[in-house]
């Protein structure tokens, strides 16, 4: 134990989140330049953040799934089913606790179903979640008789509505919930064995197995977590809509996957960033709202979003070290 | 010196194949014991048994004086036997410290204690490579050699008393190999017993205290390193029983159909020169990983050629793709039948006709395909329910015949065969040998890579040996001996 040389100094590298954050700021500033009347005000930031809550919560879960080397296409349907179940349960006025529990229960059950099929029956996650996407959507329509259903929100709607002018709150509670979810997932991913095993499986599943990691159990837990976050996002969607809507959030899974990919996630597993995914989700909201405000058609937004995804992935290719 | 590990008359069969016929060896604390043998001698099976991944059928194993019967690799590791596999298994996205602790992370409440994890990694690395390996670097940034050290460090973190190293230097550079040897010497001083599997005899001579030679699943010799000459050890590995070249039906070879000069691939081979004539079989010997398969793949256009020249039927071209080679009358048989050679889920007739060169939008009658397949099924006696049977329903030997039938269907006159009888039963092997002999007699040129020396000697007219990417000179088979070939291959 004499003279151990100091650890080799590594070249400074920008963290992976720099790119999505820079893109977010740049696109926002672009809209400020184009339309300073709308985008120069703090109020619009609050609106954008509020409208990103659902996608942000989902992309936190999707980041975990994608880092593990999986995918979940059923999240949009899970959100819709959650709103329907919450609305239906609230009709008999059981109290807010029951409604929340029902929403979370639906999410976890859907996630566990995915997890069991992927982990133990070894079916490709794309196929499993394609199937459950259809099953959950159908269930939502069945329960609601294919109609929007009213229910009690028990004040949950305040979590997602604009902060009243006389309030001191900066943003509504739903936004803080999303922040809390992201922080908790970050701690889980970076500081717990479960999180490290998720990265290990996505990085090299054979090695993980060789080292005694229970690949099946970790896989099932990851999808169950995604389901839980789907339930939370569904509750926030219910709070936003104040009704149960079986046709809500169709195609939302693609926005969520796009957010994760913009944030640095790799669909081949092992890589992804929770903060990056949230920047990605915000970026897409900015594009949508910005385009709407300055009167660009929907098709322009779609093209813009696609271009951003390609740029994000292309840049990532360039900066990734050759392995 | 009492033995830490004592293996006595261990046997193991897979189905009807006897992998181990009765292996005995012993290993002492603080000593390096080399386990030697040709490919297929049973080394890997034995090591997997010791590591707990396989269970023996018979025989006894004593570790530290007690019977040793592990039920899983984890059992083995807990008992004090750790294994480092040939390929470095690391998760590139995790750091060195995380890779070392993977599966057994130190906890602090519900969290991983990064401080403890880092400290433990540092301590193990200190024992192994005091010149340093930063525990916080991500494993993906490391060289192959450093990844190997991460794997050894992971094995050491189980505090083993016996460490098994399986071909640890096969992917390393000279400098990295030297670092590894220094590390091994250090572990030896700590009193750890080391079982060292290697093909490279010059390494073994430097490193090992004792050696054990396996051949065909049995221990055929052991002793103190230096008591026997390397020549004698090579002779033990090769065995005296290699059959004399079988009677051949072919006559004088014809014109040159394939010629390579200083051919280099990316990264293997580094320098290969050869020529092949009509009506002859050229055999390429050497160790797994020496670059033999890569040579064949480069010739067939599957891998890119970095430099050198290559001419096929007098046409010099180094950027040909497999499609061009098929068109030139060259056919390739892959060593990886399941992964590459056959389309597992398609039928026998689809597999046989898959290499046909036709416009993408042209009509090809399934009936004709079936008829063509049926003719070949009869001609080379493929056991199958018919041309429509999925190829996965056939036995290994018959699958291999289907893969060969594809070459026959294309009527190729240059056959490039990589391990043509790997995983094939004896009867099919003999039939395939007879087929290759007949094709050569009819005027085809055959280039064949085989790790099975008797096969090489039974089939080839000339032999060349590949050593670490360099292809040696050609010599007629009558002037070569298995011992010589093995010596050249192992660099002894």
């Amino acid at each position: 134990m004499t003279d151990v040389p100091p650890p080799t100094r590594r070249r400074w590298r920008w963290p992976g989140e720099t790119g999505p954050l820079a893109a977010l700021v740049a696109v926002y500033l672009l809209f400020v330049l184009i339309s300073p009347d709308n985008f120069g005000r703090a109020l619009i930031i609050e609106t954008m953040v509020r409208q990103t809550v659902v996608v942000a919560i989902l992309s936190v879960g999707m980041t975990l799934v994608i880092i593990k080397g999986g995918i979940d296409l059923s999240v949009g349907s899970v959100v819709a089913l959650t709103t329907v179940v919450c609305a239906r349960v609230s009709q008999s006025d059981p109290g807010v606790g029951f409604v929340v529990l029902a929403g979370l229960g639906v999410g976890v059950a859907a996630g566990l179903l995915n997890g069991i099929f992927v982990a133990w029956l070894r079916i490709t996650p794309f196929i499993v979640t394609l199937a459950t996407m259809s099953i959950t959507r159908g269930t939502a329509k069945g329960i609601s008789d294919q109609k929007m259903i009213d229910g009690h929100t028990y004040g949950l709607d305040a979590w997602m509505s604009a902060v009243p002018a006389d309030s001191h709150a900066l943003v509504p509670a739903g936004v803080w919930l999303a922040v809390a979810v992201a922080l908790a997932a970050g701690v889980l991913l970076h500081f717990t064995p479960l999180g490290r095993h998720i990265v290990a499986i996505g990085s090299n599943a054979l090695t993980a197995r060789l080292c005694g990691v229970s690949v099946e159990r970790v896989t099932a837990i990851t999808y169950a977590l995604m389901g839980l976050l789907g339930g939370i996002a569904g509750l926030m969607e219910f709070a936003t809509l104040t009704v149960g809507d079986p046709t809500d959030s169709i195609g939302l899974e693609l926005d969520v996957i796009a957010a994760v990919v913009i944030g640095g996630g790799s669909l081949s597993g092992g890589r992804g960033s929770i903060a990056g995914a949230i920047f990605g989700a915000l970026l897409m909201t900015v594009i949508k709202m910005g385009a709407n405000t300055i009167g660009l058609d929907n098709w322009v937004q779609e093209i813009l979003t696609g271009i951003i995804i390609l740029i994000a992935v292309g840049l990532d290719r360039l900066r990734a070290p050759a392995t | 010196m009492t033995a830490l590990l004592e293996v006595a008359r261990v046997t193991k069969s897979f189905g009807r194949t006897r992998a181990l016929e009765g292996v005995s060896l012993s290993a002492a604390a603080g000593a390096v014991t080399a386990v030697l043998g040709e490919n297929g001698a049973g080394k890997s099976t034995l090591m997997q048994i010791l590591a707990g991944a396989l269970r023996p059928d018979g025989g006894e194993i004593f570790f530290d004086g007690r019977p040793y019967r592990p039920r899983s690799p984890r059992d083995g590791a807990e008992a004090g036997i750790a294994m480092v596999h040939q390929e470095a298994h690391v998760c590139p996205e995790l750091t060195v410290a995380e890779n070392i602790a993977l599966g057994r992370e130190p906890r602090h409440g519900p969290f991983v204690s990064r401080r403890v994890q880092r400290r433990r990694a540092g301590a193990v690395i200190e024992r192994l490579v005091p010149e340093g390996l930063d525990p916080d670097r991500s494993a993906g940034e490391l060289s192959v050699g450093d990844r190997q050290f991460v794997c050894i460090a992971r094995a050491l973190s189980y505090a083993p008393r016996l460490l098994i190293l399986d071909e640890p230097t096969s992917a390393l550079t000279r400098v990295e190999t030297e670092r590894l040897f220094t590390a091994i010497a250090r572990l030896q001083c700590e009193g750890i017993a080391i079982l060292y599997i290697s093909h490279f005899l010059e390494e073994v001579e430097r490193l090992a205290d004792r050696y054990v030679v396996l051949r065909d699943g049995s221990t055929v010799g052991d002793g103190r390193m230096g008591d026997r000459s390397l020549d004698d050890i090579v002779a033990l590995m090769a065995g005296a029983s290699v059959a004399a070249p079988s009677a051949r039906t072919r006559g004088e070879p014809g014109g040159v159909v394939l010629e390579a000069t200083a051919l280099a691939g990316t990264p293997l081979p580094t320098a290969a020169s050869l020529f092949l004539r009509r009506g002859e079989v050229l055999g390429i010997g050497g160790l797994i990983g020496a670059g033999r398969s890569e040579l064949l793949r480069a010739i067939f256009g599957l891998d890119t050629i970095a430099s050198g020249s290559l001419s096929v039927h007098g046409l010099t071209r180094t950027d040909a793709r497999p499609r061009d080679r098929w068109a030139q009358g060259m056919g390739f048989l892959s060593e990886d039948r399941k992964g590459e050679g056959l389309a597992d889920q398609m039928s026998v007739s689809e597999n046989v006709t898959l290499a046909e060169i036709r416009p993408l939008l042209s009509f090809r009658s399934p009936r004709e395909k079936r008829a063509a397949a049926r003719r070949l099924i009869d001609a080379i006696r493929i056991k199958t329910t018919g041309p429509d049977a999925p190829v996965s329903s056939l036995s290994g030997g018959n699958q291999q015949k289907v893969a060969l039938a594809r070459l026959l269907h294309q009527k190729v006159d240059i056959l490039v065969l990589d391990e043509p009888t790997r995983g094939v039963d004896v009867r099919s092997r003999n039939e395939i040998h007879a087929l290759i002999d007949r094709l050569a007699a009819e005027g085809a040129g055959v280039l064949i890579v085989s790790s099975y020396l008797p096969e090489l000697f039974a089939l080839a007219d000339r032999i060349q040996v590949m050593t670490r990417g360099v292809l040696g000179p050609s010599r007629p088979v009558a002037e070569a001996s298995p011992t010589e070939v093995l010596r050249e291959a192992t660099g002894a």
Side-chain angles (χ1 to χ4, degrees):
Chain A
M1 280 298 284
T2 47
D3 29 45
V4 181
T8 41
R9 198 170 283 276
R10 268 159 295 146
R11 198 160 50 88
W12 161 258
R13 242 194 238 134
W14 291 96
E17 292 83 5
T18 319
L21 180 59
L24 175 62
V25 172
V27 172
Y28 179 75
L29 289 179
L30 184 71
F31 281 118
V32 172
L33 279 180
I34 295 173
S35 172
D37 294 346
N38 290 310
F39 284 88
R41 291 180 305 146
L43 186 65
I44 197 158
I45 297 187
E46 193 244 26
T47 314
M48 284 198 242
V49 169
R50 196 155 43 81
Q51 293 198 352
T52 312
V53 165
V54 171
V55 171
I57 291 174
L58 291 173
S59 42
V60 168
M62 192 68 84
T63 303
L64 300 182
V65 171
I66 284 179
I67 288 179
K68 198 208 67 67
I71 191 96
D72 189 345
L73 300 177
S74 67
V75 294
S77 301
V78 170
V79 166
L81 179 62
T82 307
T83 66
V84 168
V85 168
C86 287
R88 173 76 38 175
V89 168
S90 71
Q91 282 173 342
S92 56
D93 200 7
V96 66
F98 270 96
V99 174
V100 170
L101 272 183
L104 300 184
V106 166
V108 172
L112 264 180
L113 186 69
N114 286 332
I116 286 166
F117 275 94
V118 174
W120 282 289
L121 297 177
R122 308 253 163 105
I123 308 174
T124 328
F126 188 97
I127 304 295
V128 170
T129 58
L130 187 67
T132 54
M133 171 171 94
S134 187
I135 292 171
T136 28
R137 179 69 63 184
T139 310
K141 288 179 180 169
I143 290 175
S144 62
D145 213 5
Q146 309 206 51
K147 288 194 289 276
M148 282 206 235
I149 45 179
D150 294 321
H152 292 284
T153 56
Y154 296 103
L156 274 178
D157 49 331
W159 284 53
M160 291 294 283
S161 14
V163 177
D166 57 351
S167 164
H168 293 294
L170 205 57
V171 286
V175 175
W176 293 121
L177 178 68
V179 171
V181 160
L183 287 177
V187 169
L188 176 107
L189 185 61
H190 291 282
F191 300 105
T192 67
L194 174 63
R196 299 286 80 195
H197 290 178
I198 288 173
V199 182
I201 292 170
S203 183
N204 187 339
L206 292 176
T207 303
R209 196 181 296 280
L210 186 116
C211 292
V213 172
S214 169
V215 177
E216 290 81 13
R217 213 171 62 201
V218 172
T219 300
I221 291 173
T222 309
Y223 282 95
L225 274 175
M226 173 80 254
L228 175 66
L229 294 181
I232 295 175
L235 275 168
M236 292 303 104
E237 185 74 358
F238 176 58
T240 312
L241 301 173
T242 69
V243 294
D245 181 358
T247 58
D248 177 61
S249 298
I250 289 175
L252 190 70
E253 56 280 350
L254 300 183
D255 284 354
V256 174
I257 293 167
V260 175
V261 169
I262 290 173
S266 158
L267 288 188
S268 50
R271 295 192 309 124
S273 152
I274 289 168
I278 286 177
F279 296 146
L282 283 168
L283 178 58
M284 286 194 297
T285 311
V286 170
I287 292 174
K288 264 178 205 149
M289 282 191 59
N292 273 336
T293 315
I294 62 177
L296 291 177
D297 281 332
N298 191 35
W299 60 268
V300 184
Q301 299 170 25
E302 290 178 357
I303 291 176
L304 275 177
T305 309
I307 290 174
I308 297 273
I309 293 174
L310 286 180
I311 291 176
V313 177
L315 285 180
D316 203 51
R317 250 309 107 157
L318 291 180
R319 78 178 268 291
T323 41
Chain B
M1 195 155 58
T2 54
L4 178 66
L5 175 78
E6 196 75 58
V7 176
R9 302 173 307 280
V10 163
T11 59
K12 175 78 189 174
S13 302
F14 299 101
R16 258 176 274 159
T17 326
R18 301 264 285 174
L20 297 182
E21 302 250 5
V23 168
S24 303
L25 67 80
S26 62
V32 176
T33 308
V35 181
L36 306 170
E38 277 196 74
N39 299 319
K43 294 174 309 226
S44 326
T45 310
L46 177 63
M47 294 310 132
Q48 282 183 289
I49 288 174
L50 290 179
L54 289 176
R55 281 192 231 179
D57 298 337
E60 285 175 315
I61 306 174
F62 292 93
F63 185 63
D64 202 14
R66 280 187 293 275
Y68 171 73
R69 294 190 196 90
R71 296 168 160 274
S72 67
R74 183 150 243 177
D75 259 16
E78 274 161 17
I81 296 186
M83 171 145 183
V84 179
H85 293 266
Q86 183 169 3
E87 296 113 62
H89 286 279
V90 298
C91 294
E93 274 83 12
L94 298 184
T95 67
V96 168
E98 286 177 328
N99 264 292
I100 291 173
L102 188 55
R104 296 171 299 129
E105 293 81 358
R107 308 280 178 102
H108 181 83
F111 304 119
V112 174
S113 169
R114 303 205 146 195
R115 213 164 37 84
V116 176
Q117 181 171 277
R118 207 178 165 284
R119 204 183 56 224
R120 286 189 190 164
V124 179
I125 291 169
E126 171 72 25
R127 284 165 65 192
L128 203 56
V129 272
E131 64 273 24
L133 182 61
D134 183 356
D136 294 327
R137 272 181 79 177
S138 73
E141 299 172 4
L142 301 181
S143 67
V144 179
D146 281 342
R147 288 184 197 201
Q148 188 74 264
F149 280 119
V150 171
C151 292
I152 298 175
R154 185 194 288 147
L156 280 184
S157 70
Y158 282 89
R161 301 178 58 200
L162 175 79
L163 185 65
I164 303 173
L165 299 172
D166 186 3
E167 296 275 358
T169 61
S170 57
L172 302 191
T173 63
R174 291 271 170 199
V175 178
E176 289 171 333
T177 303
E178 288 304 320
R179 283 178 72 200
L180 178 68
F181 285 3
T182 316
I184 289 175
R186 221 172 263 129
L187 297 179
Q188 221 179 324
C189 292
E190 292 181 19
I192 295 178
I194 291 166
L195 279 184
Y196 188 87
I197 304 172
S198 179
H199 280 303
F200 299 115
L201 287 177
E202 85 271 29
E203 288 182 355
V204 167
E205 191 177 29
R206 274 185 54 192
L207 204 62
D209 303 292
R210 299 185 62 83
Y211 68 89
V212 179
V213 179
L214 305 189
R215 183 179 0 113
D216 296 333
S218 305
T219 305
V220 292
D222 61 356
R224 189 185 298 277
M225 207 77 215
D227 284 0
R228 222 187 205 129
S229 73
L230 282 188
D231 278 349
D232 287 353
I233 291 177
V234 170
L236 267 179
M237 287 163 67
S241 60
V242 177
S246 63
R248 299 200 174 80
T249 53
R250 48 191 183 268
E252 282 298 300
V256 172
V257 288
L258 171 71
E259 187 164 13
T261 315
L263 200 66
T266 43
L268 284 173
T270 47
S273 299
L274 60 83
F275 66 88
L276 177 69
R277 291 171 294 193
R278 253 181 222 296
E280 74 168 352
V281 179
L282 173 61
I284 310 280
L287 302 173
I288 290 170
R292 299 168 308 164
S293 296
E294 289 83 352
L295 170 63
L296 299 194
R297 299 178 70 83
I299 287 175
F300 192 65
L302 277 165
D303 291 350
T304 52
I305 293 171
S307 65
S309 87
L310 174 64
S311 84
V312 176
H313 284 309
L315 189 72
T316 303
R317 197 175 160 188
T318 52
D319 63 343
R321 289 165 308 145
R323 186 181 169 83
D324 306 319
R325 293 305 184 208
W326 282 112
Q328 283 184 294
M330 183 189 283
F332 174 75
L333 182 79
S334 170
E335 63 170 336
D336 180 7
R337 189 164 61 226
K338 247 198 160 62
E340 184 181 46
L342 292 173
D344 231 14
Q345 317 211 344
M346 293 171 86
S347 69
V348 171
S349 77
E350 294 283 358
N351 268 288
V352 167
T353 55
L354 203 56
E356 287 181 355
I357 297 165
R358 284 167 190 279
L360 285 179
L361 290 178
S362 62
F363 182 73
R364 175 79 171 118
S365 143
R367 187 144 30 103
E368 282 169 33
K369 283 197 204 175
R370 274 199 290 272
R374 206 171 281 122
R375 279 194 294 278
L376 284 160
I377 288 171
D378 293 340
I380 59 174
R381 290 198 292 282
I382 300 173
K383 269 209 200 89
T384 168
T385 54
D388 291 328
V391 77
S392 56
S393 69
L394 276 58
S395 74
N398 284 298
Q399 288 189 9
Q400 192 69 351
K401 285 184 182 177
V402 172
L404 266 169
R406 182 185 298 151
L407 276 63
L408 301 183
H409 179 67
Q410 294 309 116
K411 300 194 167 49
V412 298
D413 55 4
I414 305 174
L415 289 92
V416 179
L417 311 178
D418 197 358
E419 304 282 1
T421 62
R422 171 180 289 175
V424 160
D425 58 290
V426 180
R427 193 194 158 129
S428 301
R429 173 184 289 170
N430 290 337
E431 288 176 351
I432 289 172
H433 285 179
L435 176 66
I436 291 171
D437 185 44
R438 200 182 77 222
L439 289 168
E442 288 167 8
V446 182
L447 183 59
I448 176 172
V449 159
S450 176
S451 298
Y452 184 57
L453 279 177
E455 173 166 274
L456 220 47
F457 276 80
L459 287 173
D461 298 297
R462 290 183 294 124
I463 287 185
Q464 288 180 259
V465 177
M466 179 83 87
T467 317
R468 293 187 192 256
V470 179
L471 189 62
S474 149
R475 78 196 83 167
V477 70
E479 294 168 22
S481 75
T483 309
E484 264 175 46
V485 168
L486 202 54
R487 271 198 67 129
E488 199 180 332
T490 52

